[in-house]
Amino acid sequence: MDEETHPFITVPYPVSCIDLCHCHNSSQEPSRTFSRIEIIHWRKEIELSIMPVDEFGREIPVYGAKRPPSPRYDLPVEEPRSYRSRRAPSESPPRRRSRPIERYVQEPMLCQFVWKDQVQRDQEDQGRGSEGESIVKQEKEQQPGPVKDEYKESYDEYRQRYCLNYVRQFFNEHMDDSWFRNRYSPLGRKRIVEQHLERASAEAQVVRRDLERDPELFMRCASLGSGIKERSAGLKRKHDDSKDMNVPTSHVLSFTNRVVRLMDIPPHVTENQLVTALLDHSSNPAIQIQVFSGSVRAQDETNPLYRDAFCVFESPEIKQDILSSIQKASVESEGHVPRKDDRKVLEFDVECSDPYGRLEVEDEAGGTVPHRKASIFIATGNLPQRVVVLSAAVSSKDRIAKDKEAACLMARALDLMHKIPNDCRLDNLIEPLAICSNEDILDVSIAYLRRVHLFSFYNGCVRSDNFADVLSGNHPTSTIHLRLKGADDILHKAKEGTAEGNGDIAKLTDGEESNSKATDLLVMRLDESIRKASEATKDWVTNDGFVNPTVDAEASEIEVLEKQTKTEWIDHHGVVDSDGRARCSFHFCRKLFKDMNFLEKHLRKKHSEFLKAEIAKCHDSYMMRAWDGEECRPVPSILVDCGSNFGLVPSQVVGSTSPIAEDPEPELWKKEEERRKRLTEQEAQRHQHRHRRLNDQNDHNDGPLSAPPPRRNNFVDVDDMKEEKVALSFENVEVPVQPPKKKKKKKKLL
């Protein structure tokens, strides 16, 4: 019976696997009809499940009635053809670790040369061999100009399509991550600013209490004029100056002693999940923990999109309690107790199966969310504080009065911008200090700017909106700048100094000119930054919103949408019976309540994670709009396949409406040609020098045609044995006489 002509075949039912194999040749009357597709499917199952039989028809179990083992991973595996190489792909061992971009794209982008070669091979594989098309192809090959332009235009379209798909896939992968929403959601940005304003107000209140408690102590600890620079004779210091100098404690943030650093946080881990994991190690789960996340490291080759975060606890005792619990859990997991456990970094697990905390699927099909955990590292030590000493020109006392006025102006504008309470603003704090010197008021103002507004006065007059970046040392505000002690005396000696001897006068003059130029450059740079910051104070004062008017308006729209979504979600997840009772519509719950009010409380308390996920959909369109309008996105660099000569080369994706990545292969070929040209020139110079040296040796000889002296060969062949006769004479040989041996006394036996 032919399967093509007879699409159905009948076999007796029930039937075994062996009977099904012999059913085609059987002469029995079938009792059930099976389709051709079922027969093919069963045949595949038979090939996988049937066992060999002996001469009596009994099945012989193979490998314990289990499927035979899979082939080893190190055996050669036939791979499909690759177009990576210009000639042939290189044979390299399989990679054990995937690259970061493989999460978003399956293959690297091709350079123009490799892409053109692949297009030509694809056209050949498609079998376009008609005479008309071949003639047209030959005519196009005879005209290299238009073909090159056509390829170039098509390659630009290919690059744009590749980069656009890469950017969209990145958005879909991270749209639920907390760091992504805080950056692109208007409401998320507004909440981050509110958190920053709350921290600034709390810090201003701490500064006010410290000044009211002991003003003299606060000013003494805020003094910046005690910086000392140690200079060695041409040797570079191997240690940091901050370890040798006392840190002005009035410039240090107030809650540094109750903050811990979390390192290498994956992008899919949210701040709420970090807080939940830390509360699991606390003896009091009702405490409050604030988490400040730093900027993601998009271009990090090892762990892209990873970030650091800082957790602020209510007191140092709570911090120590949680660290002790994490340390104890770490020791128990290792299985042994060390004699002295003084590790500076601990590790704990964070549950991150779902960004909203969902454990079951909402669909009727049911199911659970895949379990997922992440390991986070936590530092147990105190945060280091970096201190740098300024130059003598910037530390001069002639600048004190001018810098004080500028610092007070900036603090006054930032107080209005950040809505600091009136009793905690700088003008009210320095009012009792009117009798103090300008230097003391300047130091207090700089400390207030750094602690409250995260503003660096001596390092470019810049401020930070990310508190975690300041604590991690990734911002100029992280550094405390001290003025050089005795700066005026140093400047006076530098101007009036004289050199000893006439030979050192010119050197000293040149050195003074270079030092004066460098000093003038530092002063000009500081003056320029102060001028720009003073001009920006007008915008700071007039800023009434949180971020900007556009973002604030969009945030208000999202808040309205969230309220509507809550109401609609509660209505859709409740079923009201005829008697007025309400039932939860989740397939894994189905609880019955007295009325809709009790059901609403149940949904908000027991199923709040599903409500959060539904509310998050209100941000998607606004986030997509902000994502499409950004010029430089925080995405890892893509890999461009530049053939076997250069391999995979990273290239950054830039552009707002039409993202694109540059083709690095032409620039690499240009550098390679320059390198080869440079090597050729060096080889030609060596050859010319060698030829010139031989000519010089010929000129020193007797005649122009004299041959060069023969080259001496000092090689001695040890295997070439030669017979040599040596005459031995013993006439004048004196044989030394050995001295007589001393007699040893025998010991008498007692």
Side-chain angles (χ1 to χ4, degrees):
M1 184 182 294
D2 192 1
E3 292 183 355
E4 299 296 333
T5 56
H6 299 277
F8 294 90
I9 186 171
T10 56
V11 296
Y13 183 81
V15 63
S16 64
C17 296
I18 300 177
D19 294 335
L20 183 60
C21 292
H22 299 284
C23 176
H24 182 70
N25 298 325
S26 176
S27 60
Q28 294 179 348
E29 284 295 328
S31 60
R32 183 182 171 186
T33 304
F34 294 88
S35 64
R36 173 176 171 270
I37 298 176
E38 292 177 336
I39 294 298
I40 295 175
H41 178 68
W42 283 340
R43 283 184 178 178
K44 291 181 180 180
E45 291 183 353
I46 291 169
E47 293 175 359
L48 294 176
S49 61
I50 192 170
M51 295 183 183
V53 296
D54 56 7
E55 63 273 12
F56 301 103
R58 294 175 297 188
E59 294 180 345
I60 303 175
V62 182
Y63 296 101
K66 295 183 180 180
R67 183 178 177 181
S70 302
R72 295 176 56 187
Y73 67 90
D74 54 353
L75 295 179
V77 181
E78 183 178 358
E79 297 182 354
R81 184 175 60 178
S82 173
Y83 299 102
R84 285 186 55 191
S85 172
R86 293 179 179 270
R87 295 183 178 87
S90 60
E91 296 182 0
S92 57
R95 291 181 291 105
R96 297 297 182 188
R97 183 177 181 180
S98 60
R99 295 185 176 90
I101 68 165
E102 292 181 359
R103 181 180 177 183
Y104 316 106
V105 290
Q106 297 180 354
E107 297 179 355
M109 191 181 78
L110 305 178
C111 67
Q112 187 173 3
F113 187 91
V114 179
W115 175 84
K116 180 180 178 180
D117 183 51
Q118 180 178 358
V119 170
Q120 292 177 354
R121 293 188 183 186
D122 291 342
Q123 291 178 355
E124 293 175 359
D125 295 342
Q126 289 178 0
R128 298 180 180 178
S130 60
E131 297 181 358
E133 292 180 354
S134 61
I135 294 174
V136 173
K137 186 176 181 180
Q138 293 177 2
E139 291 179 355
K140 288 184 178 180
E141 290 178 354
Q142 295 176 1
Q143 300 176 359
V147 174
K148 185 176 180 180
D149 296 339
E150 181 181 357
Y151 275 125
K152 183 177 180 181
E153 183 180 1
S154 301
Y155 179 69
D156 291 341
E157 295 176 356
Y158 161 74
R159 283 194 303 164
Q160 292 179 359
R161 184 177 67 256
Y162 183 93
C163 295
L164 184 60
N165 293 336
Y166 171 65
V167 169
R168 288 179 176 176
Q169 184 65 22
F170 185 91
F171 179 87
N172 295 332
E173 288 286 339
H174 297 283
M175 63 185 302
D176 290 328
D177 297 345
S178 59
W179 70 269
F180 196 83
R181 289 186 170 272
N182 294 337
R183 179 165 181 165
Y184 293 102
S185 173
L187 186 57
R189 294 175 62 183
K190 181 180 177 181
R191 289 171 179 170
I192 292 297
V193 173
E194 290 176 350
Q195 186 184 23
H196 174 67
L197 297 180
E198 182 181 355
R199 185 212 60 83
S201 300
E203 190 71 29
Q205 293 176 3
V206 175
V207 173
R208 180 178 62 84
R209 287 197 299 267
D210 293 344
L211 271 172
E212 291 177 353
R213 185 184 302 111
D214 194 347
E216 295 181 359
L217 178 62
F218 187 88
M219 288 189 295
R220 187 168 61 253
C221 296
S223 177
L224 300 176
S226 60
I228 299 175
K229 278 189 176 182
E230 295 183 3
R231 295 184 179 180
S232 57
L235 297 178
K236 186 177 180 181
R237 292 176 59 88
K238 296 184 179 180
H239 60 277
D240 193 3
D241 293 338
S242 59
K243 298 180 181 179
D244 301 336
M245 294 177 292
N246 295 326
V247 178
T249 56
S250 296
H251 294 258
V252 180
L253 298 171
S254 60
F255 45 78
T256 307
N257 59 342
R258 50 190 178 93
V259 64
V260 294
R261 181 175 184 176
L262 307 179
M263 300 174 291
D264 295 340
I265 303 174
H268 57 272
V269 178
T270 63
E271 284 77 7
N272 294 332
Q273 293 171 350
L274 293 174
V275 172
T276 304
L278 291 174
L279 290 177
D280 292 341
H281 294 278
S282 175
S283 58
N284 183 14
I287 61 174
Q288 297 293 329
I289 301 177
Q290 283 185 312
V291 179
F292 297 89
S293 294
S295 303
V296 296
R297 302 185 294 266
Q299 302 302 327
D300 190 356
E301 297 180 358
T302 307
N303 295 320
L305 302 179
Y306 278 51
R307 68 189 190 276
D308 294 348
F310 293 86
C311 297
V312 181
F313 301 97
E314 295 180 353
S315 63
E317 292 76 14
I318 296 177
K319 167 189 170 182
Q320 190 61 35
D321 177 37
I322 293 178
L323 290 179
S324 301
S325 178
I326 294 176
Q327 186 175 7
K328 183 178 179 181
S330 178
V331 170
E332 292 177 355
S333 62
E334 292 177 359
H336 69 281
V337 180
R339 294 183 178 179
K340 183 179 180 181
D341 194 359
D342 54 353
R343 289 175 293 182
K344 297 182 179 180
V345 177
L346 301 176
E347 184 179 0
F348 68 101
D349 294 334
V350 176
E351 176 66 33
C352 54
S353 301
D354 185 77
Y356 305 105
R358 294 171 295 185
L359 300 179
E360 298 186 12
V361 182
E362 188 177 359
D363 299 337
E364 292 295 337
T368 58
V369 178
H371 188 65
R372 189 178 188 183
K373 281 189 176 182
S375 296
I376 307 298
F377 299 97
I378 181 172
T380 59
N382 296 326
L383 298 179
Q385 182 59 62
R386 186 183 179 190
V387 179
V388 175
V389 181
L390 298 171
S391 63
V394 179
S395 305
S396 176
K397 292 186 178 181
D398 297 337
R399 299 182 51 90
I400 297 296
K402 182 176 64 175
D403 292 345
K404 185 202 75 170
E405 297 296 334
C408 293
L409 176 63
M410 297 172 192
R412 192 177 300 114
L414 290 173
D415 286 342
L416 294 174
M417 177 182 176
H418 293 159
K419 301 178 178 60
I420 303 297
N422 293 330
D423 57 341
C424 299
R425 294 182 180 179
L426 181 64
D427 292 338
N428 297 328
L429 295 180
I430 63 175
E431 186 176 355
L433 308 177
I435 59 176
C436 299
S437 62
N438 291 333
E439 185 176 0
D440 294 336
I441 296 177
L442 173 63
D443 295 342
V444 172
S445 301
I446 293 176
Y448 180 85
L449 285 172
R450 183 180 186 273
R451 292 177 57 175
V452 177
H453 302 294
L454 305 180
F455 188 90
S456 177
F457 183 80
Y458 283 118
N459 198 353
C461 291
V462 293
R463 62 186 180 92
S464 175
D465 294 332
N466 195 322
F467 179 66
D469 290 345
V470 176
L471 294 179
S472 60
N474 297 329
H475 194 268
T477 314
S478 308
T479 306
I480 297 177
H481 296 82
L482 299 180
R483 291 189 298 272
L484 184 61
K485 187 177 181 179
D488 294 335
D489 296 338
I490 296 174
L491 293 176
H492 185 69
K493 291 179 181 179
K495 291 181 181 179
E496 296 182 355
T498 56
E500 297 179 0
N502 296 329
D504 297 337
I505 295 178
K507 296 181 181 179
L508 182 60
T509 305
D510 296 339
E512 287 181 354
E513 289 180 358
S514 61
N515 291 334
S516 62
K517 290 181 180 178
T519 300
D520 294 341
L521 182 60
L522 294 174
V523 173
M524 290 173 57
R525 187 180 302 171
L526 178 59
D527 293 339
E528 181 66 19
S529 61
I530 291 175
R531 184 188 63 81
K532 292 182 179 179
S534 300
E535 293 178 355
T537 54
K538 300 178 182 179
D539 298 334
W540 298 346
V541 174
T542 56
N543 187 10
D544 297 333
F546 291 94
V547 185
N548 55 59
T550 304
V551 175
D552 294 342
E554 293 178 350
S556 301
E557 295 177 2
I558 295 177
E559 289 178 348
V560 175
L561 291 176
E562 286 185 349
K563 293 180 180 179
Q564 296 177 358
T565 304
K566 289 181 181 179
T567 305
E568 295 176 356
W569 182 83
I570 291 174
D571 295 339
H572 293 164
H573 288 79
V575 180
V576 181
D577 297 339
S578 58
D579 55 354
R581 293 186 297 177
R583 184 182 296 276
C584 180
S585 63
F586 282 98
H587 64 90
F588 51 83
C589 183
R590 309 296 293 177
K591 289 185 178 180
L592 187 62
F593 297 91
K594 183 178 180 180
D595 55 10
M596 197 65 186
N597 294 330
F598 290 95
L599 176 61
E600 181 178 353
K601 295 179 181 180
H602 166 76
L603 291 174
R604 291 179 180 273
K605 184 178 180 180
K606 299 297 183 180
H607 306 302
S608 59
E609 61 273 13
F610 296 97
L611 177 60
K612 293 177 182 178
E614 189 69 22
I615 290 175
K617 298 178 182 179
C618 302
H619 302 245
D620 295 346
S621 59
Y622 297 91
M623 291 170 57
M624 176 63 78
R625 194 181 309 158
W627 175 257
D628 292 338
E630 190 169 9
E631 186 71 20
C632 296
R633 301 176 178 86
V635 296
S637 299
I638 64 172
L639 296 178
V640 182
D641 191 351
C642 297
S644 59
N645 292 327
F646 304 109
L648 299 177
V649 182
S651 180
Q652 190 174 2
V653 179
V654 295
S656 57
T657 55
S658 57
I660 197 169
E662 294 294 332
D663 184 8
E665 194 226 12
E667 188 67 23
L668 293 175
W669 269 114
K670 184 179 178 180
K671 293 181 180 179
E672 180 67 17
E673 291 176 356
E674 292 177 356
R675 188 185 67 85
R676 293 179 180 179
K677 183 179 179 181
R678 185 169 58 255
L679 293 177
T680 305
E681 292 176 356
Q682 293 176 358
E683 184 64 25
Q685 290 178 0
R686 286 194 295 266
H687 180 73
Q688 186 178 3
H689 178 69
R690 194 183 306 113
H691 183 69
R692 189 185 302 111
R693 186 176 60 183
L694 293 176
N695 292 337
D696 294 341
Q697 292 178 359
N698 293 332
D699 293 341
H700 288 291
N701 294 332
D702 296 335
L705 298 178
S706 61
R711 185 176 181 180
R712 296 181 180 180
N713 189 5
N714 296 327
F715 176 72
V716 178
D717 190 1
V718 296
D719 297 330
D720 188 8
M721 307 298 292
K722 295 181 180 180
E723 295 182 0
E724 295 183 1
K725 293 182 179 181
V726 180
L728 300 178
S729 176
F730 300 96
E731 294 179 357
N732 299 326
V733 176
E734 295 181 359
V735 179
V737 180
Q738 296 182 355
K741 296 182 178 180
K742 294 182 179 181
K743 295 182 179 181
K744 295 182 179 180
K745 294 182 179 181
K746 295 183 179 180
K747 294 182 179 181
K748 295 181 180 181
L749 298 176
L750 298 177

